[in-house]
Amino acid sequence: YEDLHTFELQAPTRVIEWAQGNRVCVAGYGQSGGNEILQLLPPPTLQVKETQGLCPERDFKVECGGFSNRPVYSLKHVPGTSLLVTSGPPDSSLQIWQVSAEDSDVIKSISAIPTENGTGQPWAKIATISARAPWVLHGSRLSSVQITEVESRKNVYMAASRNNEELSGLAFLDCNALLLCCARGQLCLADVRQPQSPLEAASVPSAPCGERWCMGVGRGPQGSDSSSQPVALLSSGGHLTLTDLRKTSESLASAKCGVPSPSSGAEFLCVSWAPALEGCLAVSGFDGTVHVYDTQGWDSSGREVEPIFVHKGHAFGGPGSSGGRPLVTVHTWHPQKSRTLLSAASDGSLHVWDWVQSCGNC
Amino acid sequence: MPEIKVTPLGAGQDVGRSCILVSIAGKNVMLDCGMHMGYNDDRRFPDFSYITQNGRLTDFLDCVIISHFHLDHCGALPYFSEMVGYDGPIYMTHPTKAICPILLEDYRKITVDKKGETNFFTSQMIKDCMKKVVAVHLHQTVQVDEELEIKAYYAGHVLGAAMFQIKVGCESVVYTGDYNMTPDRHLGAAWIDKCRPDLLITESTYATTIRDSKRCRERDFLKKVHETVERGGKVLIPVFALGRAQELCILLETFWERMNLKAPIYFSTGLTEKANHYYKLFITWTNQKIRKTFVQRNMFEFKHIKAFDRAFADNPGPMVVFATPGMLHAGQSLQIFRKWAGNEKNMVIMPGYCVQGTVGHKILSGQRKLEMEGRQILEVKMQVEYMSFSAHADAKGIMQLIRQAEPRNVLLVHGEAKKMEFLKQKIEQEFHVNCYMPANGETTTIFTNPSIPVDISLGLLKRETAIGLLPDVKKPKLMHGTLIMKDNSFRLVSPEQALKELGLAEHQLRFTCRVHIQDPRKEHETVLRVYNHLKGVLKDYSVQHLPDGSITVESILIQATAHSEDQGTKVLLVSWTYQDEELGSYLTSLLKKGLPQSTS
């Protein structure tokens, strides 16, 4: 490691979201209420400047906090605003929060976006954008995909689909194009300007059924066409498929990453592209480790690949861990520091690590 | 309602100086007496005029308690006791008593000698102040006077730091000072029992921090030292003599052993003597591990760490040196610093807070050209690093402590109100207690609900529970008795008993009420009607028809006579004693409602 920070949160989180001003948001997912949503100020050692400030503290500061009765399974920051959107069981509605760091340090719940399907629906996946206005794209099934304007809570788009497939993720490719990933692995594209046309199933993975899939969408530099970045699909069996959205009939590359058995389910599967390292992606959710892969040089054979780095810190458990190995619940890349990642695990640990590339391009 | 009043003292909203005034059950206690390290003028002292505008502080304050030796908790003590004037007792733990004067003297030297200030306390004042100090042991109940008692609890944080419980009767306050809930290499974690104080006062400055783990900090420290030594540089670590220096030495020794490093590590002799001495004296204050190792071997007999000699500073090649004083303001550490500052391969690792005016403070703020004595300019090319090992409780730690102590109210000091709202809500939600956040100079009043135990005589208890008007288990029962307060005990006895004890004669009060009833029949028939009616209604009571024509309900007497002017009206005389007031009133209203038509 070049650098390593390990922290212990009071409650484990399964979201790590970057918010305004390089802040990081985390939230609890306990079933019995009293979950905290925290906006943290990262320590100065994580600031972008290479030459450190003179007295770099190594601690996170809790800037603001709020309380949520529901477990928070997904949290997204609405770009350009001080609003956060969260979702979680028992239904697919969304909660909107206001972070007002100036007047007080409390994150206030300001409203909720209910959904018609009622309780019993799986929790909604969310994505946000602030192109024409602050929008949130959400839904728990293909049939319930919609875009709501955050401030007015007006519905702006409704997907014309009767398909009840459960979603595992959704994303804005740009201000008009939507990408939806089903839990069974199909990718669908939609255009906001054409709400009536049915969703086009873009690709179906060629892997054994019964696996759950999730996706990672590359975030190119501002202004670039997002659809030029391949989409990575990860399955609960460890299959990784890269697909180019312009040519969805066949996958770009396919590989398999080593997965411990028995597998621990697909609850926390997470795959994401490095924002500043060409072709690198990170995978987590199988155990207490985070794997980083270099996809350059992958072919379509689906063979097993070796990671270029493995972060094992969470597997050892913190001081209070009692029985059961911790599971990495989520990870994310630092937007500017190319080899820095943040990862959280089910034992409440939060790690920030910067690895040393042993060979190849640094 | 009895109340506890808390006023954090100080001028302005600044964090950085601890001095809290508590008023509990008529006693006034001052908690800590710290100096604000950022100011050079009178603003660094707490504003004692809040305590009393006129009149002597000694008369007003019952005692002063100091939690630990950090200057922001005890720095203003000599000023307070000798310059403002206070002659009452000052309580602190034994280690604090031993270390305070050293720090105060050091601080005095910097302020007066280096900065040339005049309005400051003198060495003699420090000595006189310390003479007023009464040292206490952990978990020892100390009677300040007949009613006020205090007890110290282990707080971790630094050697000798304690949390104090202040108790008057059944009202109590716990003040935490600075504490730490995670044990480190040489100090344990804070601990308190379920003392359920009415109020817990805790510092909240670090509540918003989520601390990096010890392992990572240490890793970072070792990495920095290793890198410097590898490139041939020298590392200077100014230390404050106790605690942290020990930890860092153990760390380096283990690391050197594991990595098979050859660069020498030195420890200045002044440190060795002092540290040894203090560790021997206060061995009970450190944690188990240190105690065991101390017994087995001398702490400073390291394989790789040797005693330092001044001449070594000029030796070529890499080395690591621990030297005092910690803020680079004088002495050996400053000397070494001057020799090594010009070389960019070298590094200085500052272990913590440095007082304004010291070289340590200047370089931590980024200054690279320092003016030394004789107007010499020293250019600092060496790397300046900061390593904070000081341990404070974070939000998780505060919650843990509240869970241990179970206070009825919580008060947070030293935080800006708007930055503490989240913590306040967190505490209120989790523990369902009130959480207060006063600003400096603002008084917070906390109302307490003391329970006063009273002995009740058995006879009275039996009697009161026997008589009853359809008693309801859920409703509080009204009892009549006499409260005798004697010699700090309370007894509840029957009035007869009380009168007997006092030697007074008992007077009886009897009430009589007239109830008019329309009934043309003869008196004795009316009486029969009344008797049957009452017997039917008051099934649980003893209703009797006496031969002389009167009715008794328990001890209440009812007699009927004819109205003098109107034969159709009968007058019922209802008569009862004061003790039977309830029943008497009830009977009267019952009878006023009239008798049922049918008679048996």
Side-chain angles (χ1 to χ4, degrees):
Chain A
Y1 290 104
E2 183 61 35
D3 204 0
L4 172 66
H5 295 68
T6 63
F7 301 93
E8 223 179 280
L9 297 172
Q10 238 183 309
T13 180
R14 53 186 287 177
V15 299
I16 304 178
E17 170 80 355
W18 289 94
Q20 220 166 17
N22 240 16
R23 309 302 201 251
V24 173
C25 291
V26 295
Y29 58 94
Q31 297 298 330
S32 47
N35 292 299
E36 291 178 2
I37 300 175
L38 301 173
Q39 176 171 290
L40 309 172
L41 179 64
T45 49
L46 287 189
Q47 304 299 357
V48 194
K49 300 191 283 288
E50 281 311 319
T51 51
Q52 296 298 349
L54 226 23
C55 307
E57 290 276 354
R58 297 174 58 89
D59 306 326
F60 267 99
K61 267 195 103 52
V62 176
E63 263 199 335
C64 313
F67 298 98
S68 165
N69 283 331
R70 289 169 183 250
V72 176
Y73 277 32
S74 181
L75 184 152
K76 291 272 179 259
H77 170 241
V78 182
T81 70
S82 58
L83 300 172
L84 299 174
V85 183
T86 63
S87 71
D91 57 36
S92 56
S93 64
L94 307 182
Q95 296 79 44
I96 304 182
W97 308 79
Q98 165 91 279
V99 180
S100 50
E102 301 300 313
D103 316 322
S104 101
D105 67 339
V106 177
I107 299 178
K108 290 191 265 277
S109 163
I110 54 175
S111 59
I113 296 176
T115 51
E116 286 132 29
N117 338 47
T119 52
Q121 289 297 324
W123 52 283
K125 316 299 178 283
I126 39 186
T128 53
I129 198 169
S130 280
R132 286 177 220 134
W135 283 354
V136 57
L137 167 65
H138 60 109
S140 56
R141 295 186 186 282
L142 269 182
S143 50
S144 62
V145 171
Q146 52 194 292
I147 297 181
T148 307
E149 208 172 73
V150 180
E151 267 141 20
S152 64
R153 286 180 288 150
K154 226 174 41 175
N155 188 288
V156 178
Y157 167 86
M158 230 14 236
S161 170
R162 299 264 183 82
N163 197 330
N164 254 350
E165 279 286 335
E166 199 185 321
L167 287 173
S168 69
L170 28 74
F172 279 101
L173 291 173
D174 58 38
C175 56
N176 294 315
L178 310 174
L179 179 62
L180 311 167
C181 177
C182 298
R184 291 209 287 172
Q186 304 98 309
L187 281 177
C188 298
L189 285 167
D191 191 318
V192 175
R193 298 163 293 193
Q194 298 172 343
Q196 295 314 313
S197 61
L199 296 175
E200 187 194 310
S203 79
V204 176
S206 56
C209 325
E211 295 191 355
R212 278 188 70 100
W213 293 79
C214 70
M215 72 168 172
V217 179
R219 243 172 279 179
Q222 291 288 2
S224 77
D225 186 6
S226 296
S227 57
S228 64
Q229 295 260 347
V231 174
L233 281 167
L234 170 70
S235 85
S236 50
H239 291 100
L240 273 163
T241 315
L242 304 182
T243 309
D244 186 331
L245 289 171
R246 293 165 298 189
K247 209 172 86 168
T248 55
S249 48
E250 56 187 71
S251 57
L252 268 182
S254 168
K256 185 162 186 322
C257 54
V259 164
S261 63
S263 85
S264 39
E267 182 79 31
F268 300 125
L269 283 188
C270 189
V271 59
S272 64
W273 289 98
L277 275 184
E278 187 86 36
C280 279
L281 51 71
V283 164
S284 71
F286 295 105
D287 53 22
T289 63
V290 182
H291 291 215
V292 180
Y293 293 94
D294 184 348
T295 63
Q296 295 171 357
W298 283 10
D299 54 30
S300 321
S301 64
R303 63 184 165 89
E304 190 144 330
V305 281
E306 285 301 309
I308 55 174
F309 185 77
V310 177
H311 171 66
K312 300 198 190 101
H314 295 286
F316 297 114
S321 60
S322 52
R325 302 245 191 79
L327 206 53
V328 173
T329 55
V330 66
H331 73 260
T332 190
W333 292 80
H334 191 290
Q336 290 97 21
K337 293 180 83 128
S338 54
R339 276 192 308 281
T340 302
L341 283 108
L342 285 79
S343 55
S346 53
D347 61 353
S349 54
L350 176 69
H351 292 184
V352 182
W353 38 284
D354 184 347
W355 89 89
V356 175
Q357 192 107 15
S358 50
C359 59
N361 43 352
C362 279
Chain B
M1 281 268 263
E3 51 195 32
I4 298 180
K5 287 197 161 84
V6 180
T7 313
L9 297 182
Q13 283 281 346
D14 280 332
V15 173
R17 172 211 306 109
S18 290
C19 186
I20 301 163
L21 192 60
V22 174
S23 234
I24 172 173
K27 301 287 172 188
N28 299 308
V29 178
M30 184 156 91
L31 302 169
D32 279 339
C33 188
M35 176 94 76
H36 193 302
M37 312 304 274
Y39 291 121
N40 281 332
D41 49 30
D42 278 352
R43 283 177 300 174
R44 61 181 151 206
F45 300 122
D47 189 351
F48 298 116
S49 64
Y50 272 107
I51 308 180
T52 171
Q53 294 287 350
N54 39 27
R56 300 178 346 109
L57 286 175
T58 314
D59 296 333
F60 182 81
L61 285 175
D62 291 281
C63 72
V64 172
I65 296 176
I66 302 290
S67 61
H68 63 290
F69 60 67
H70 275 159
L71 288 174
D72 56 343
H73 289 256
C74 71
L77 195 61
Y79 168 80
F80 170 71
S81 71
E82 307 309 305
M83 291 168 83
V84 178
Y86 170 76
D87 299 312
I90 302 173
Y91 294 97
M92 57 180 80
T93 58
H94 287 271
T96 313
K97 182 175 177 184
I99 301 170
C100 251
I102 302 174
L103 277 184
L104 288 169
E105 180 55 35
D106 236 17
Y107 183 57
R108 191 205 65 78
K109 269 203 267 217
I110 304 173
T111 317
V112 172
D113 300 345
K114 295 272 154 192
K115 298 203 278 182
E117 291 213 19
T118 44
N119 184 28
F120 211 73
F121 48 81
T122 63
S123 288
Q124 186 57 42
M125 285 184 190
I126 297 175
K127 295 197 180 90
D128 292 337
C129 168
M130 296 311 289
K131 287 198 193 114
K132 299 174 184 165
V133 169
V134 178
V136 302
H137 291 285
L138 281 180
H139 306 161
Q140 169 199 20
T141 303
V142 175
Q143 292 287 143
V144 176
D145 61 32
E146 273 181 9
E147 289 145 326
L148 173 64
E149 57 184 53
I150 63 173
K151 184 152 92 162
Y153 288 93
Y154 190 77
H157 184 59
V158 288
L159 195 64
M163 309 188 284
F164 279 88
Q165 179 194 42
I166 297 120
K167 204 158 147 173
V168 181
C170 45
E171 285 175 77
S172 63
V173 172
V174 168
Y175 171 59
T176 62
D178 284 345
Y179 62 103
N180 186 24
M181 296 303 283
T182 34
D184 58 33
R185 275 176 215 271
H186 73 292
L187 289 171
W191 177 85
I192 193 165
D193 52 17
K194 226 189 263 294
C195 52
R196 298 216 177 96
D198 290 284
L199 178 65
L200 176 74
I201 301 175
T202 176
E203 304 255 333
S204 54
T205 340
Y206 295 90
T208 48
T209 317
I210 299 183
R211 307 192 71 231
D212 190 8
S213 69
K214 201 166 187 42
R215 256 180 49 223
C216 289
R217 284 173 196 273
E218 289 176 350
R219 185 187 171 274
D220 196 40
F221 168 70
L222 291 171
K223 190 154 165 277
K224 290 187 163 93
V225 171
H226 190 199
E227 279 169 2
T228 308
V229 159
E230 285 288 285
R231 61 168 181 244
K234 300 173 167 57
V235 183
L236 170 65
I237 308 176
V239 284
F240 168 55
L242 299 142
R244 303 293 158 205
Q246 195 106 348
E247 253 188 80
L248 296 176
C249 278
I250 300 171
L251 200 56
L252 278 184
E253 167 97 350
T254 328
F255 187 65
W256 248 240
E257 186 78 27
R258 187 158 53 91
M259 306 286 282
N260 202 15
L261 296 177
K262 301 289 176 227
I265 310 177
Y266 297 113
F267 203 83
S268 83
T269 42
L271 273 177
T272 330
E273 289 160 10
K274 275 198 210 135
N276 245 343
H277 171 60
Y278 286 113
Y279 270 90
K280 282 211 186 96
L281 279 177
F282 301 115
I283 201 65
T284 46
W285 283 81
T286 64
N287 64 13
Q288 280 286 69
K289 266 198 288 194
I290 288 283
R291 217 176 301 158
K292 267 201 289 203
T293 35
F294 194 85
V295 168
Q296 285 166 17
R297 63 159 194 185
N298 182 332
M299 269 297 31
F300 290 89
E301 270 165 26
F302 289 111
K303 233 170 68 178
H304 302 274
I305 307 183
K306 307 268 180 307
F308 187 67
D309 182 290
R310 226 195 293 193
F312 295 171
D314 296 316
N315 288 1
M319 69 173 82
V320 180
V321 175
F322 288 90
T324 55
M327 301 183 216
L328 285 184
H329 53 277
Q332 198 170 59
S333 60
L334 184 61
Q335 270 180 14
I336 302 172
F337 175 74
R338 291 169 76 160
K339 287 202 178 158
W340 296 356
N343 190 336
E344 65 238 346
K345 279 205 246 172
N346 297 338
M347 178 188 284
V348 60
I349 302 184
M350 301 303 298
Y353 184 82
C354 291
V355 170
Q356 222 181 39
T358 55
V359 171
H361 184 97
K362 290 184 185 149
I363 58 175
L364 280 177
S365 334
Q367 250 185 287
R368 285 295 174 260
K369 287 188 165 46
L370 301 172
E371 197 179 297
M372 302 273 122
E373 289 117 38
R375 299 199 150 244
Q376 275 188 311
I377 303 286
L378 178 68
E379 233 191 279
V380 180
K381 291 210 190 113
M382 76 194 303
Q383 261 186 277
V384 178
E385 291 292 340
Y386 173 70
M387 190 68 30
S388 160
F389 277 106
S390 104
H392 284 263
D394 55 11
K396 189 159 142 195
I398 295 179
M399 302 302 273
Q400 261 178 296
L401 189 75
I402 298 176
R403 203 168 290 125
Q404 272 185 18
E406 289 190 15
R408 299 207 189 96
N409 297 279
V410 173
L411 192 131
L412 303 172
V413 284
H414 285 162
E416 284 176 59
K418 54 183 190 191
K419 301 267 167 72
M420 292 292 132
E421 185 64 37
F422 178 58
L423 179 64
K424 173 172 148 55
Q425 282 191 13
K426 204 165 129 117
I427 293 175
E428 285 175 342
Q429 278 191 15
E430 175 130 358
F431 300 109
H432 307 290
V433 294
N434 287 325
C435 187
Y436 302 90
M437 304 182 303
N440 280 337
E442 189 187 313
T443 303
T444 302
T445 307
I446 289 133
F447 294 105
T448 57
N449 253 332
S451 25
I452 303 171
V454 174
D455 286 323
I456 181 167
S457 82
L458 199 57
L460 181 65
L461 189 61
K462 281 193 182 150
R463 194 175 81 173
E464 287 290 322
T465 49
I467 303 176
L469 208 62
L470 312 161
D472 185 338
V473 207
K474 295 209 180 92
K475 284 200 190 139
K477 184 160 167 53
L478 187 65
M479 287 193 182
H480 292 107
T482 312
L483 183 69
I484 301 180
M485 296 191 279
K486 198 171 165 192
D487 297 331
N488 268 347
S489 72
F490 296 87
R491 281 160 57 227
L492 201 58
V493 299
S494 67
E496 299 83 31
Q497 170 82 3
L499 288 168
K500 206 160 74 170
E501 286 188 23
L502 289 168
L504 294 172
E506 190 177 348
H507 289 75
Q508 285 277 347
L509 271 177
R510 205 160 181 93
F511 297 100
T512 308
C513 190
R514 286 179 164 73
V515 180
H516 293 246
I517 292 190
Q518 293 298 332
D519 194 350
R521 283 166 282 200
K522 295 224 171 51
E523 281 151 32
H524 68 268
E525 283 171 15
T526 314
V527 169
L528 205 56
R529 272 182 77 194
V530 172
Y531 170 68
N532 286 325
H533 173 54
L534 289 179
K535 198 131 173 97
V537 173
L538 302 173
K539 293 195 171 64
D540 297 322
Y541 295 88
S542 149
V543 184
Q544 288 178 357
H545 190 181
L546 300 178
D548 67 359
S550 56
I551 302 170
T552 57
V553 177
E554 299 289 332
S555 55
I556 296 173
L557 191 63
I558 304 174
Q559 288 169 323
T561 56
H563 196 276
S564 48
E565 280 146 36
D566 175 12
Q567 276 296 320
T569 309
K570 297 290 174 294
V571 179
L572 292 176
L573 280 150
V574 190
S575 165
W576 64 89
T577 61
Y578 174 68
Q579 278 82 343
D580 299 321
E581 166 65 29
E582 242 184 301
L583 184 56
S585 308
Y586 174 71
L587 265 181
T588 313
S589 42
L590 182 63
L591 290 170
K592 278 189 178 154
K593 287 194 191 131
L595 295 173
Q597 284 310 320
S598 60
T599 54
S600 46

